[in-house]
Amino acid sequence: MTDQTDKSASQARASRDDRLKSALRENLKRRKLQARERAATADPSQNEDGSLDEGAAGKTGS
């Protein structure tokens, strides 16, 4: 009787692991897609850290 319990418990654990792996994979795909979209639509006047790029206009000559 304990064999049946062990088998069903291991099958349940394997099933759960498979579902978690699948969910993590889908989440990673979604996050990568979001990152690509953000990079494609990023404002060119801002750096990656979100600060404004002063460029040549922000520099003062001496």
Side-chain angles (χ1 to χ4, degrees), residues 12 14-24:
S15 175
R16 180 177 184 268
D17 288 346
D18 289 342
R19 283 182 285 136
L20 287 174
K21 286 178 190 177
S22 182
L24 285 171

Side-chain angles (χ1 to χ4, degrees), residues 5-62:
T5 306
D6 291 342
K7 286 181 183 179
S8 64
S10 65
Q11 286 176 346
R13 181 171 203 95
S15 175
R16 180 177 184 268
D17 288 346
D18 289 342
R19 283 182 285 136
L20 287 174
K21 286 178 190 177
S22 182
L24 285 171
R25 206 174 301 119
E26 291 302 318
N27 187 26
L28 181 62
K29 286 179 187 178
R30 182 175 42 84
R31 291 180 62 180
K32 282 185 175 182
L33 179 61
Q34 287 174 345
R36 282 189 215 114
E37 289 174 352
R38 276 191 222 112
T41 61
D43 186 5
S45 67
Q46 290 187 352
N47 292 333
E48 288 181 10
D49 62 357
S51 63
L52 293 177
D53 184 14
E54 295 179 11
K59 295 181 181 177
T60 56
S62 300

